[in-house]
Amino acid sequence: MVHIRPLDVSDAPVLATAYTANWPFLAPWDPVRPDAFFTPAGQEARISGMLADRAVYPCAIELDGDVVGTITLTQIEYGPAQSANLGYWVAQAVNGRGVATKAVAEIVEHAFGVLGLHRIQAGTLAHNHGSQKVLANNGFERIGTARGFLFIEGRWQDHILFQLVNDDWQPA
């Protein structure tokens, strides 16, 4: 069973191990990471920083109780925008099994329900068809291409941008 839950600093050792084990699989999609990123101390510092930032909502993705990835809302903005950006990854061993699709569905429910957001945006590398399918399966619509959006694998790479809008949201 797939479930998301808020990250905790106690997740640092598990995430350090997961990132290290999955780095060959994740590297084509992620920015270059410093060596410290792959250590429990590096993950603890990263998680602590995210938890201290009110504009970030970081979660672990669990499958049958084991952490198999993360999913995070960033740049959470209230006021007229009521929006956030979405990012996620899952371990290679569970890739293609619907784990990311279910995790995205769960965080969307939380974002639109508990957090009261109106819009979620996500970007994928132009050639990341698997992630694009995850977003499409959750009702995200393609809104355009951001040229040179992120520095991945040593070069600026284009991303396809998607959004999901909660048309039922109304200000209180």
Side-chain angles (χ1 to χ4, degrees):
M1 178 173 167
V2 176
H3 175 67
I4 67 168
R5 62 164 174 79
L7 272 180
D8 185 84
V9 291
S10 66
D11 292 314
V14 171
L15 285 180
T17 299
Y19 273 116
T20 300
N22 286 279
W23 189 243
F25 172 68
L26 297 173
W29 317 109
D30 265 16
V32 173
R33 305 287 189 182
D35 291 343
F37 180 87
F38 300 95
T39 67
Q43 285 300 308
E44 187 174 325
R46 183 175 161 268
I47 294 167
S48 293
M50 288 190 293
L51 293 174
D53 187 340
R54 293 181 46 92
V56 177
Y57 183 73
C59 294
I61 301 172
E62 293 183 338
L63 176 62
D64 299 328
D66 294 326
V67 175
V68 296
T70 64
I71 188 163
T72 306
L73 294 171
T74 60
Q75 296 177 323
I76 298 171
E77 184 178 342
Y78 291 100
Q82 296 294 127
S83 67
N85 287 320
L86 172 66
Y88 54 89
W89 68 273
V90 297
Q92 184 174 13
V94 302
N95 189 54
R97 294 178 37 197
V99 173
T101 298
K102 290 174 185 163
V104 169
E106 195 169 330
I107 205 157
V108 163
E109 183 178 321
H110 186 81
F112 287 163
V114 176
L115 299 179
L117 299 181
H118 168 69
R119 180 179 177 277
I120 303 168
Q121 178 172 300
T124 72
L125 283 165
H127 58 281
N128 190 343
H129 303 292
S131 194
Q132 292 164 24
K133 184 176 177 184
V134 165
L135 296 170
N137 286 342
N138 278 286
F140 281 74
E141 63 180 311
R142 181 181 171 154
I143 57 172
T145 301
R147 191 176 65 77
F149 189 63
L150 291 177
F151 197 74
I152 308 285
E153 285 201 308
R155 66 187 193 282
W156 291 103
Q157 294 200 42
D158 297 351
H159 278 63
I160 298 176
L161 301 180
F162 294 82
Q163 71 176 0
L164 183 64
V165 175
N166 179 1
D167 290 319
D168 296 329
W169 186 92
Q170 294 294 320

